[in-house]
Amino acid sequence: MPVPEVAKIWMDGEFVDWWDAKVHILTPTLHYGWGVFEGVRAYETERGAAVFCHRAHIERLHRSAQILQMEVPYSVDELMEATRELIRVNDLPSCYIRPLVYLGYGEMGLNPLPSEVAVSIIVWPWGTYLGDEGLRNGVTAKTSSWVRIGTNMIPTGTKACGVYINSSLAKVEALKAGYEEAILLNEHGHVAEGSGENVFVVRDGVLLTPPLAEGVLRGITRDSIIRFARDLDIPFEETTLLRQDLYTADEAFYTGTAAEVVPIRAVDDREIGAPGPVTKQLQDLFFAVVKGKEPRYEHMLDYVNG
């Protein structure tokens, strides 16, 4: 399904009409994947649109750019305000937000350094990534034959554009095999993450997720779920997980900005079952927080209209 068109896109300080948001065909980002991005969501609340963990996302965008030696020409605060204004200009009660740091027209070749760094922000209405049915009853997952990129191959702690061909290969493989999502193992055979999500399992009442050292992106939603679990007194551990741990889990779920909190009901045709009590408790709290219904987590929301 095409991205729903909105009126304006923000490009280096200008509000540009949707179909006029263009870059030159020779941008090195298109040819070599040298760029970084974020996925952020604004939710509809009683006080209008509110961006969830806005500052954390834009700070991670800056860190990703720093790792790739790209100097972002706008501060965190400037990009946050640009995002708020863009949502207001497009009059969106809720939306997905895609900030993108990329290389403009410049020298062609594997050396990205001479090219000028550009920034765009795109917003559009977007429902849950894995579908409403997936949110309610869970999705099926396939362990991918594609191995998660190692941390000394490409920096897995960045949301770098080129990294995601690894994820796309896993996603396509899973879909073509009749599953809804993928799970990637790292070079050691340990569970890393989904194609665009972090992975959690519940075993004997304990919430478990792979540590960052397994080649896992430090997800903003991942961090939020860990915090919620601790606040709810749910036992939690970061630990190495094997494929068999997925098969024998009492519960399992994905987290991510696009996916939100989605139960996994089966992995490689091994049934885990309907969403369990821990998954449901964390999912319910997550949606209450992002919709502005939990006053103690109000600081996690950036209200677009102040």
Side-chain angles (χ1 to χ4, degrees):
M1 179 181 295
V3 173
E5 180 182 344
V6 299
K8 298 291 183 180
I9 291 173
W10 188 91
M11 299 186 74
D12 284 318
E14 303 284 340
F15 291 102
V16 179
D17 288 346
W18 181 267
W19 290 107
D20 291 333
K22 301 174 181 178
V23 297
H24 197 278
I25 193 67
L26 284 175
T27 168
T29 300
L30 176 61
H31 293 261
Y32 304 115
W34 197 274
V36 298
F37 68 95
E38 270 299 320
V40 196
R41 276 192 188 268
Y43 288 87
E44 186 172 3
T45 76
E46 291 180 355
R47 291 174 51 188
V51 185
F52 181 61
C53 292
H54 196 180
R55 182 170 295 277
H57 279 286
I58 304 304
E59 287 177 344
R60 187 173 65 179
L61 181 74
H62 270 254
R63 288 196 300 271
S64 293
Q66 181 181 4
I67 292 170
L68 265 62
Q69 296 184 298
M70 302 175 77
E71 186 172 342
V72 182
Y74 303 94
S75 69
V76 169
D77 286 333
E78 286 172 330
L79 291 178
M80 289 175 66
E81 180 52 36
T83 302
R84 294 185 205 103
E85 183 61 20
L86 183 63
I87 295 171
R88 290 193 291 264
V89 164
N90 287 296
D91 193 25
L92 293 172
S94 64
C95 60
Y96 185 78
I97 305 161
R98 171 52 54 88
L100 175 67
V101 180
Y102 56 101
L103 299 177
Y105 183 76
E107 182 177 312
M108 180 50 60
L110 290 177
N111 176 16
L113 299 179
S115 299
E116 185 175 341
V117 175
V119 184
S120 291
I121 307 170
I122 311 99
V123 298
W124 68 88
W126 199 21
T128 184
Y129 178 58
L130 293 173
D132 292 336
E133 176 67 20
L135 272 182
R136 287 191 298 270
N137 298 316
V139 297
T140 58
K142 180 187 188 302
T143 303
S144 181
S145 67
W146 296 100
V147 175
R148 170 67 173 164
I149 293 170
T151 55
N152 285 324
M153 298 175 186
I154 295 178
T156 54
T158 68
K159 286 185 74 70
C161 298
V163 169
Y164 280 79
I165 194 167
N166 183 228
S167 299
S168 291
L169 286 166
K171 178 74 173 183
V172 168
E173 179 186 52
L175 292 174
K176 283 183 170 291
Y179 300 84
E180 292 159 289
E181 189 50 281
I183 291 175
L184 290 97
L185 309 180
N186 64 21
E187 65 267 37
H188 305 296
H190 301 161
V191 174
E193 57 184 30
S195 69
E197 310 91 1
N198 294 115
V199 176
F200 287 82
V201 303
V202 179
R203 186 170 60 211
D204 298 328
V206 180
L207 183 66
L208 307 170
T209 198
L212 303 181
E214 299 288 9
V216 172
L217 178 72
R218 183 168 186 171
I220 306 299
T221 310
R222 174 187 185 272
D223 284 353
S224 300
I225 289 299
I226 291 170
R227 175 175 183 175
F228 297 158
R230 287 172 171 154
D231 290 348
L232 292 169
D233 293 324
I234 297 170
F236 166 74
E237 294 178 16
E238 283 188 330
T239 187
T240 296
L241 295 173
L242 304 176
R243 186 187 308 203
Q244 65 197 35
D245 293 318
L246 301 173
Y247 297 164
T248 59
D250 299 322
E251 305 175 39
F253 59 90
Y254 289 115
T255 65
T257 296
E260 298 165 305
V261 182
V262 178
I264 302 171
R265 71 173 187 270
V267 179
D268 296 341
D269 303 315
R270 278 78 166 182
E271 288 294 323
I272 297 172
V278 174
T279 301
K280 194 72 170 61
Q281 189 178 16
L282 290 168
Q283 187 186 56
D284 288 347
L285 179 55
F286 171 81
F287 282 110
V289 171
V290 299
K291 293 175 182 177
K293 296 180 179 178
E294 282 287 343
R296 63 175 170 159
Y297 298 110
E298 192 82 4
H299 62 282
M300 300 179 82
L301 298 177
D302 179 21
Y303 288 94
V304 169
N305 294 317

